Amino acid sequence: DPTSLGLGLDEEVKVTKQRRPNPKLDEARLLSQPGIPKLRRTAKQKLRFKGKGHEFQDAERLLNFYQLWLDDLFPRAKFADGLAIIEKLGHTKRIQTMRKEWIEEEKPKPFYDRTNTE
Amino acid sequence: EVTSVGQDVQVIDPDVRMHVYSLVTALGGFNGADADRYMLGDDALSCLRDIRRWLKLYDQRNNRMDVVRCLGEANLVMGDILPILSIWWNNGQNSKHLTRVALACLELLVPLTWPAEYHSQMTANHHRHTPYIQQIQVQYKRGVLRYGGSNLLRAVIRIALPSMAIPRSERESRDEGILKLMLYFLRNVAIITTNERLAAEGDEEETSRSATINAFQDQDAFALILTMCSNVAEDFNQQDIVLLEILFHIIKGVNVDKLFLNEDERKAQRSDELSQLLKKENQVKREYAKNAPTRHGRFGTMIWVKRDEHKVSTVSGQNILRDDQASLQKMDESKKWKRPGRTRRNKDETVQYNDFNTPVHLSLLATKNLRTFVEEFLDSGFNPLFTHVRKAIEREAERVSAINARQFFYTVGWFLEAERARRARQAIQRKRDGKNTKDVEPDSFGLVASVLNQETFISLNRGMQSSLDNKEWDDLTAQMRCFTQILLTVQEMTFSPLEEDQEIADNIQNRIFYEETTHDRVLSIVRGYKDQGFGYLDAATELSHVFLRMLERYSKTNADLQIRSKRRAKKRKKGEAAQSAGQEDGEGEAENEEDVNSEDEDLIDSAQVSKERAFDFKRFAAKFCNQSCVNTFVEFTSFYRELNSEQLKRAHRYFYRIAFKQEMTTLLFRLDIISLFHRMIKGPGAMESSKPIYKEWEELVRQILRRLTKKIDQRPALITELLFSKMNSTIYYLEFGHERQTMSTA
């Protein structure tokens, strides 16, 4: 009797199908290459403002730039929703240190600063 | 246990139903031969008393609503009580027996019309019966306001008149009870409204606020209220709270400005309104036409949006051909996913009858009637009533319930606004009549003086603080409105031609602005907005707007304004530090000793360190310059399509202050804010460009956007920072391009 051997041949094998996890817009995604690094890389070439007299077109250009970037990064979210998610992520420790770093990068060096102002 | 719904389902115990029905039947009825005459049953009075006993001993004692519902189904009010009252009014007032029957009817009417509210301690039984009772009460109200040709409100007032005529010292408790019954009946009539969640049966018009006001005017209920209010201190000191409640339910949600337009202005405004609405509709149509397809629906247009890295997106529809903006917008709109976790808290049902944030529209006649009443009330009843009510609330008298404080503050605020509107109208009237303003004796503000005293300020301040601490947002909203109106009234007083008024106003302002806690409270209210609803948002932004402007003006004219600030924690730390160091100077030693010796350390502590210092408006205004305040105003501005010019102006001034007075434009450099500003001006769904406020906004947004593009060129870090709320540590650098030079030592 095969069942008495305890091989468990007759027991039904349960196949639990793992649900595919939904993609999330989280810190990792935001800091990955198509995330903020790309934003910083492309902004310089993409964002050219016309300046005085074209304020509203400039704003449109700016908003479109971010919308397309966000659509690449996290296609399922609407622009406003995506912005809200990112804004919330901005309160986390990791992103905050990164933000500080990015700002530090562009700051003039203290020494240089002093000579510059005088 | 599942019961099939059908005729067999009993929601009420059949025995109870049987008893109640037999009582209602025995009460009387319409005579067969004389079908439109109501005949009183032989033992009507006992029947009425028995029914009352049922209500008391079955419903109230067991906390059920079965008898109330049963009486509703038995048609007691429409079929018996109202006809009996009508008989009494028409030809029974001299009969002692009939008068007693009428009084017994009133005794039943009050519990039957008692507002059935949702509350936290509801049983399954309550949940079952409340919707039915709310619905039937609307029918009761309709019957009361318009029963045949009878004046039933007047009849009810008549029942209580003999008790009213007796001086208070000689009144017995029975008389007081009758007065109470009559007033509570008026209150119930004022409260009952159609429930928007239940199917209406054409009752809205006949039971609306307008109908109530007109009935109150026609049947002298207003006259009664005025008499009682102006004599509240002498003759009716137990009735003050009920009177307040009646007033509250009559005026809640009524727009003061509309109330005080005169006939011509109102007509002009109405026709203006119509043409404006038509214009607005036209604009909507035009905007649609701009984007509407020019071909039939199956024309099948599709375009590619070329993107980086040789990628394309496809968008379909003809309207996208117009420009890039449209296609990008369409790309966004076609997304289905919604960000999770933003569930709206469902609206609290418990506020249904005490909600003052929903605007109420009055008919022309009702407006006129209410205005007459309001003016008479301001002239005679305002001071006596509100002084008395405030004292009762402070004393926590037995008749005061928790809701009354909210009603008090809202009503006071509303009437202060009404008084200002009336004065404004009088001023215009005088100018129009061509009288020299010097000929007319200017009115003093004595008519509303009772709420401009120190006692009111103290109780208002205390109330605001405790509502804020306990998160009672509806209370806080009422208090904020009241405070705002007090401020505005005081401001008007400073412009009064009477020197005495000016002096008083100066004095009041000094007292209001003296406490630093008040300043901080206004600030924390604005900062603390989160999901409290539009009413709170509106009140909070208005308060901060008015408060800041008045404080600015006052501190300018009174350069040496002193404020009292309490710094407890700091002093204490100092004390501790001194103690640990072991070398105190004489003063410190004394302080410490007192600290240690005192039984109530905190009390002494706070008393000790409250000190006066010169007020610096700039520093105070800078406190409003932070992300959470900005968020509150952004939230408020996002309703721009529903806001009126005054509200839009308020938001405009705030952002102007942030950007150009405080030089903190960086706070506004966040993509959602930029996107909102851009949408307000350029659409889709932009503000109406014909309004004057549009021009101001356009200019402001233009300036902000210009700064934005400039700043992005100067500081590329903004590219990433645009996504986030700014951090305190970097905001100064982002704004000015260098670190703060002097660290503040304070």
Side-chain angles (χ1 to χ4, degrees), chain A residues 23 30 36 38-44 46-47 49 51-72 74-91 95-97 99-100 102-104 106-108 113, chain B residues 305-309 311 313 324-325 327-329 331-340 342 670-672 674-675 677-678 681-682 698 701-703 705-706 708-710 712-727 729-730 733-734 737-739 741:
Chain A
L30 190 61
I36 285 185
K38 181 183 165 198
L39 187 73
R40 282 157 51 89
R41 209 169 50 239
T42 52
K44 275 180 203 116
K46 282 278 175 84
L47 279 181
F49 298 121
K52 200 175 170 182
H54 300 88
E55 288 85 0
F56 291 99
Q57 282 139 284
D58 282 346
E60 261 164 41
R61 208 164 289 138
L62 182 79
L63 291 169
N64 291 348
F65 168 72
Y66 279 96
Q67 190 185 328
L68 288 173
W69 166 75
L70 201 58
D71 187 60
D72 277 339
F74 191 63
R76 62 192 329 212
K78 288 185 182 175
F79 186 42
D81 285 342
L83 286 182
I85 295 171
I86 295 180
E87 201 283 321
K88 212 171 173 190
L89 286 174
H91 297 283
I95 303 273
Q96 286 214 333
T97 33
R99 284 168 64 189
K100 271 180 203 149
W102 294 322
I103 294 173
E104 287 299 325
E106 70 159 54
K107 272 190 195 171
D113 187 38
Chain B
V305 180
K306 279 199 181 172
R307 303 172 58 170
D308 317 338
E309 299 148 17
K311 274 201 296 190
S313 305
D324 301 352
Q325 213 53 36
S327 44
L328 276 167
Q329 202 186 308
M331 271 171 69
D332 204 45
E333 275 170 10
S334 56
K335 292 182 179 177
K336 295 277 188 295
W337 187 73
K338 274 206 180 105
R339 187 161 71 99
R342 268 200 311 176
R670 210 175 62 195
L671 282 167
D672 56 333
I674 297 298
S675 154
F677 283 177
H678 183 263
I681 307 300
K682 290 286 168 192
E698 191 187 16
V701 173
R702 189 195 303 279
Q703 297 295 342
L705 292 180
R706 182 182 300 168
L708 171 66
T709 47
K710 249 192 207 160
I712 291 179
D713 285 339
Q714 286 168 1
R715 274 183 277 293
L718 265 179
I719 292 289
T720 51
E721 284 297 295
L722 268 178
L723 292 166
F724 307 108
S725 295
K726 308 294 171 286
M727 297 175 287
S729 52
T730 55
Y733 166 76
L734 288 174
H738 56 85
E739 294 301 332
Q741 291 301 310

Side-chain angles (χ1 to χ4, degrees), chain B residues 227-450:
Chain B
T227 312
M228 295 188 93
C229 285
S230 44
N231 294 308
V232 76
E234 297 88 40
D235 281 335
F236 306 107
N237 61 4
Q238 293 299 305
Q239 279 77 33
D240 50 354
I241 297 294
V242 200
L243 287 167
L244 170 76
E245 287 198 41
I246 297 174
L247 284 177
F248 173 79
H249 290 292
I250 288 286
I251 56 138
K252 63 183 176 190
V254 174
N255 183 326
V256 172
D257 288 333
K258 277 195 186 154
L259 194 64
F260 277 89
L261 297 172
N262 64 31
E263 207 83 4
D264 300 336
E265 285 168 331
R266 198 174 310 126
K267 264 185 200 145
Q269 206 211 18
R270 279 174 98 84
S271 54
D272 270 6
E273 259 170 24
L274 180 62
S275 65
Q276 265 170 16
L277 283 176
L278 287 173
K279 231 198 237 161
K280 212 174 191 173
E281 196 187 355
N282 239 335
Q283 208 178 10
V284 172
K285 271 189 197 155
R286 261 217 312 278
E287 200 176 298
Y288 172 74
K290 250 196 272 171
N291 308 336
T294 51
R295 309 273 173 189
H296 60 82
R298 298 188 166 192
F299 200 68
T301 318
M302 189 170 94
I303 61 161
W304 282 351
V305 180
K306 279 199 181 172
R307 303 172 58 170
D308 317 338
E309 299 148 17
H310 310 292
K311 274 201 296 190
V312 288
S313 305
T314 51
V315 194
S316 66
Q318 297 156 54
N319 45 359
I320 51 173
L321 290 175
R322 195 165 42 95
D323 56 18
D324 301 352
Q325 213 53 36
S327 44
L328 276 167
Q329 202 186 308
K330 181 99 183 202
M331 271 171 69
D332 204 45
E333 275 170 10
S334 56
K335 292 182 179 177
K336 295 277 188 295
W337 187 73
K338 274 206 180 105
R339 187 161 71 99
R342 268 200 311 176
T343 46
R344 292 225 153 189
R345 277 187 305 169
N346 43 350
K347 216 181 150 213
D348 198 0
E349 279 171 334
T350 53
V351 297
Q352 192 199 337
Y353 289 127
N354 289 302
D355 169 38
F356 49 76
N357 286 318
T358 315
V360 174
H361 298 286
L362 297 182
S363 69
L364 266 181
L365 180 63
T367 310
K368 208 174 137 206
N369 284 337
L370 182 60
R371 190 174 74 199
T372 318
F373 168 70
V374 166
E375 293 192 84
E376 282 172 1
F377 177 78
L378 283 167
D379 288 338
S380 65
F382 186 94
N383 281 338
L385 180 73
F386 286 129
T387 310
H388 211 265
V389 168
R390 178 179 51 73
K391 282 181 185 159
I393 291 176
E394 275 167 13
R395 199 163 5 97
E396 292 177 354
E398 210 178 323
R399 57 185 183 278
V400 178
S401 67
I403 194 75
N404 294 137
R406 184 193 308 174
Q407 292 171 335
F408 170 73
F409 288 120
Y410 177 79
T411 316
V412 167
W414 193 92
F415 275 105
L416 282 177
E417 197 181 351
E419 172 66 8
R420 284 193 305 115
R422 176 165 78 149
R423 296 178 79 93
R425 195 177 55 109
Q426 281 169 346
I428 293 169
Q429 196 92 36
R430 273 173 202 155
K431 208 174 261 176
R432 193 180 297 148
D433 293 349
K435 276 184 204 161
N436 197 342
T437 39
K438 278 175 192 164
D439 296 345
V440 191
E441 188 142 320
D443 304 317
S444 83
F445 283 80
L447 288 177
V448 291
S450 65

